Amino acid sequence: MVNALAWFSQSGVVQGLILGAVLAFLTAILVMNAVGRTVTTTVNGWSAIRQCGQPGNGVLVRAACAKALPVVNVFEEAAYWTATVDGSGQTLSGRHGYVLHFAAGKLPPNDAFWSLTPTDTVGYMVDHPTHRYSVGDRSTLAQNADGSVDIYLQHQAPSGQEQNWLPTPSGKFKLTFRVYLPGAAILDGTYQLPRIVRAH
């Protein structure tokens, strides 16, 4: 038995199995990324996979959804968008400040609530002295004179705009926008999140 194990470990079979497993893993990642791109819709820099959570999805779509948005609800229950670039296509970075401007009456329609959360590029929240990790419809955001709302996305506090400030990580980051029990305009695709505009 000992001789058989010694032969097995030196025969190249183990190395072949390891190499095969690595190649299979990398191939699976490439396939999931390709499928994810085909089912992703991007508007104004915000990307969403509306098919996630649907019972009729095939195994590849389910795998792509699990990779992009683990434990996601169906879109009719919770709409999710993510953004890693601003409205001009530049990577989001804490070195810059950004503004997300909602025209009067254009905050996301919903029958529950909405929230906006910044994370690192992997998806983990980053600690910040303010301990403010998201804003939403329960954040008592200040309105402009015309009824519009600006959310300030930056690492350091914007002078005079702290009420509408959402602190971001100091490096590259990702934004996730969630709307729970989204309204009809979201479900039929007529509602669009505004572009993320770089302020400085």
Side-chain angles (χ1 to χ4, degrees):
M1 180 68 174
V2 174
N3 289 338
L5 289 174
W7 173 85
F8 184 76
S9 65
Q10 296 173 6
S11 68
V13 173
V14 172
Q15 292 87 344
L17 289 172
I18 293 171
L19 179 60
V22 170
L23 291 175
F25 174 77
L26 294 176
T27 300
I29 294 296
L30 291 174
V31 170
M32 284 189 289
N33 287 344
V35 172
R37 284 192 296 272
T38 64
V39 296
T40 298
T41 302
T42 302
V43 178
N44 291 339
W46 294 96
S47 298
I49 305 178
R50 301 173 71 93
Q51 292 177 237
C52 287
Q54 299 291 343
N57 287 342
V59 64
L60 291 179
V61 172
R62 292 200 304 272
C65 286
K67 181 177 181 293
L69 294 167
V71 199
V72 68
N73 296 319
V74 294
F75 201 79
E76 291 77 10
E77 292 181 0
Y80 293 78
W81 292 268
T82 59
T84 57
V85 297
D86 62 21
S88 63
Q90 300 299 308
T91 301
L92 295 173
S93 170
R95 293 179 300 161
H96 308 293
Y98 305 90
V99 177
L100 190 60
H101 176 79
F102 292 90
K106 292 298 183 180
L107 288 168
N110 67 87
D111 292 320
F113 64 95
W114 64 265
S115 68
L116 174 62
T117 307
T119 63
D120 64 17
T121 53
V122 178
Y124 293 105
M125 290 186 178
V126 177
D127 194 27
H128 194 275
T130 64
H131 303 297
R132 190 179 197 186
Y133 302 109
S134 68
V135 295
D137 58 344
R138 302 173 188 184
S139 300
T140 61
L141 298 172
Q143 293 186 355
N144 299 317
D146 62 357
S148 63
V149 174
D150 291 319
I151 298 175
Y152 297 88
L153 306 156
Q154 54 191 68
H155 188 63
Q156 301 294 336
S159 179
Q161 306 293 345
E162 289 85 357
Q163 187 172 348
N164 289 21
W165 173 40
L166 179 57
T168 63
S170 58
K172 295 179 181 179
F173 65 92
K174 175 171 69 173
L175 293 171
T176 301
F177 209 114
R178 302 173 178 87
V179 180
Y180 293 90
L181 297 182
I186 291 177
L187 296 179
D188 66 21
T190 56
Y191 179 84
Q192 298 178 356
L193 289 175
R195 294 179 182 273
I196 303 162
V197 178
R198 179 170 158 180
H200 58 79

